[in-house]
Coordinates of all heavy atoms in Angstrom, one line a residue:
P1 N 0.8 -1.2 0.0 CA 0.0 0.0 0.0 C 0.8 1.3 0.0 O 2.0 1.3 0.5 CB -0.8 -0.1 1.3 CG 0.1 -1.0 2.2 CD 0.7 -2.0 1.3
L2 N 0.3 2.3 -0.5 CA 1.0 3.6 -0.6 C 0.0 4.7 -0.1 O -1.2 4.6 -0.1 CB 1.4 4.0 -2.0 CG 2.3 3.0 -2.8 CD1 2.4 3.5 -4.2 CD2 3.6 2.9 -2.1
L3 N 0.6 5.8 0.4 CA -0.1 7.0 0.6 C 0.0 8.0 -0.6 O 1.1 8.1 -1.1 CB 0.4 7.7 1.9 CG 0.0 7.0 3.2 CD1 1.1 7.2 4.2 CD2 -1.3 7.6 3.7
V4 N -1.0 8.6 -1.0 CA -1.0 9.4 -2.2 C -1.5 10.8 -1.8 O -2.3 11.0 -1.0 CB -1.8 8.8 -3.4 CG1 -1.3 7.5 -3.8 CG2 -3.3 8.7 -3.0
G5 N -1.0 11.8 -2.5 CA -1.4 13.2 -2.2 C -0.4 14.2 -2.6 O 0.3 14.0 -3.6
G6 N -0.2 15.2 -1.9 CA 0.8 16.2 -2.2 C 0.9 17.3 -1.2 O 0.2 17.4 -0.2
F7 N 1.9 18.2 -1.4 CA 2.3 19.3 -0.6 C 2.3 20.6 -1.4 O 2.7 20.6 -2.5 CB 3.7 19.1 0.0 CG 3.8 17.9 1.0 CD1 4.1 16.6 0.5 CD2 3.7 18.0 2.3 CE1 4.2 15.5 1.3 CE2 3.9 16.9 3.2 CZ 4.1 15.7 2.7
A8 N 1.9 21.7 -0.7 CA 2.1 23.0 -1.3 C 3.6 23.4 -1.0 O 4.1 23.0 0.0 CB 1.1 24.0 -0.8
F9 N 4.1 24.3 -1.8 CA 5.4 24.9 -1.5 C 5.4 25.8 -0.3 O 6.3 25.9 0.5 CB 6.0 25.6 -2.7 CG 6.6 24.7 -3.7 CD1 5.8 24.4 -4.8 CD2 7.8 24.2 -3.6 CE1 6.3 23.5 -5.9 CE2 8.4 23.4 -4.6 CZ 7.6 23.0 -5.7
S10 N 4.2 26.4 -0.1 CA 4.1 27.3 1.1 C 3.2 26.6 2.1 O 2.3 25.9 1.8 CB 3.4 28.6 0.6 OG 3.0 29.4 1.8
G11 N 3.6 26.9 3.4 CA 2.9 26.2 4.5 C 1.6 26.9 4.8 O 0.7 26.4 5.5
R12 N 1.4 28.2 4.3 CA 0.2 28.9 4.5 C -0.4 29.4 3.2 O 0.3 30.1 2.5 CB 0.5 30.1 5.5 CG 0.7 29.7 6.9 CD 0.8 30.9 7.8 NE 2.0 31.7 7.5 CZ 3.1 31.5 8.1 NH1 3.2 30.5 9.0 NH2 4.2 32.2 7.8
L13 N -1.6 29.0 2.9 CA -2.2 29.5 1.7 C -3.4 30.4 2.0 O -4.1 30.2 3.0 CB -2.7 28.2 0.9 CG -1.7 27.3 0.4 CD1 -2.3 26.0 -0.2 CD2 -0.8 27.9 -0.5
P14 N -3.7 31.4 1.1 CA -4.8 32.3 1.4 C -6.1 31.5 1.3 O -6.3 30.6 0.6 CB -4.6 33.3 0.3 CG -3.9 32.6 -0.8 CD -3.0 31.6 -0.1
G15 N -7.0 32.0 2.2 CA -8.4 31.5 2.2 C -8.4 30.0 2.6 O -7.8 29.6 3.5
E16 N -9.0 29.2 1.8 CA -9.1 27.8 2.0 C -8.0 27.0 1.2 O -8.1 25.8 1.2 CB -10.5 27.2 1.6 CG -11.6 27.9 2.4 CD -13.0 27.3 2.0 OE1 -13.0 26.5 1.0 OE2 -14.0 27.7 2.7
G17 N -7.1 27.7 0.8 CA -6.0 26.9 0.0 C -6.3 26.9 -1.5 O -7.4 27.3 -1.9
F18 N -5.4 26.2 -2.2 CA -5.6 26.1 -3.7 C -6.7 25.1 -4.0 O -6.6 23.9 -3.6 CB -4.3 25.7 -4.3 CG -4.3 25.4 -5.7 CD1 -4.5 26.4 -6.6 CD2 -4.3 24.1 -6.2 CE1 -4.6 26.2 -8.0 CE2 -4.4 23.8 -7.5 CZ -4.6 24.9 -8.4
A19 N -7.8 25.6 -4.6 CA -8.9 24.7 -5.0 C -9.4 23.9 -3.8 O -9.9 22.7 -4.0 CB -8.5 23.9 -6.2
G20 N -9.3 24.4 -2.6 CA -9.7 23.6 -1.4 C -8.8 22.6 -0.9 O -9.1 21.9 0.1
F21 N -7.6 22.5 -1.4 CA -6.6 21.6 -0.9 C -5.7 22.2 0.1 O -5.2 23.4 0.0 CB -5.6 21.1 -2.1 CG -6.3 20.3 -3.1 CD1 -6.8 20.9 -4.2 CD2 -6.5 18.9 -2.9 CE1 -7.4 20.1 -5.2 CE2 -7.2 18.2 -3.9 CZ -7.6 18.8 -5.1
P22 N -5.5 21.6 1.3 CA -4.7 22.1 2.4 C -3.2 22.1 2.0 O -2.8 21.4 1.0 CB -4.9 21.2 3.5 CG -5.4 19.9 2.9 CD -6.1 20.2 1.6
P23 N -2.3 22.7 2.7 CA -0.9 22.7 2.4 C -0.2 21.4 2.4 O 0.8 21.2 1.7 CB -0.3 23.6 3.5 CG -1.4 24.6 3.9 CD -2.6 23.7 3.8
A24 N -0.8 20.4 3.1 CA -0.2 19.0 3.0 C -1.4 18.1 3.2 O -2.1 18.2 4.2 CB 0.8 18.8 4.1
R25 N -1.5 17.1 2.3 CA -2.6 16.1 2.4 C -2.2 14.8 1.8 O -1.8 14.8 0.6 CB -3.8 16.7 1.7 CG -5.1 15.8 2.0 CD -6.3 16.5 1.5 NE -7.5 15.9 2.0 CZ -8.2 14.9 1.4 NH1 -7.7 14.3 0.3 NH2 -9.3 14.4 2.0
L26 N -2.1 13.8 2.6 CA -1.9 12.4 2.1 C -3.0 11.5 2.4 O -3.6 11.6 3.5 CB -0.6 11.8 2.7 CG 0.7 12.5 2.2 CD1 1.9 11.8 2.9 CD2 0.9 12.5 0.7
V27 N -3.4 10.6 1.5 CA -4.5 9.7 1.7 C -4.1 8.3 1.6 O -3.3 7.9 0.7 CB -5.6 10.0 0.6 CG1 -6.7 8.9 0.6 CG2 -6.2 11.4 0.9
L28 N -4.6 7.4 2.5 CA -4.4 6.0 2.4 C -5.7 5.5 1.6 O -6.7 5.5 2.2 CB -4.3 5.3 3.7 CG -4.1 3.8 3.7 CD1 -2.9 3.4 3.0 CD2 -4.2 3.2 5.1
P29 N -5.5 5.1 0.4 CA -6.7 4.8 -0.4 C -7.3 3.4 -0.2 O -6.6 2.5 0.3 CB -6.2 4.9 -1.9 CG -4.8 4.6 -1.8 CD -4.3 5.1 -0.5
E30 N -8.6 3.3 -0.4 CA -9.2 2.0 -0.3 C -8.8 1.1 -1.4 O -8.6 -0.1 -1.2 CB -10.7 2.2 -0.3 CG -11.5 0.9 0.1 CD -13.0 1.1 0.3 OE1 -13.6 1.5 -0.7 OE2 -13.5 1.0 1.4

């Protein structure tokens, strides 16, 4: 199994982040 997702270059993004994605998000998929 793998974790998939990504990181923003900046730790703080304006508003809710880019298209709703937080600065760091990894998912363990089903």
Side-chain angles (χ1 to χ4, degrees):
L2 301 175
L3 287 146
V4 297
F7 296 85
F9 282 96
S10 172
R12 285 187 292 272
L13 296 176
E16 297 182 355
F18 174 72
F21 294 95
R25 189 173 195 271
L26 292 181
V27 170
L28 179 64
E30 189 173 64

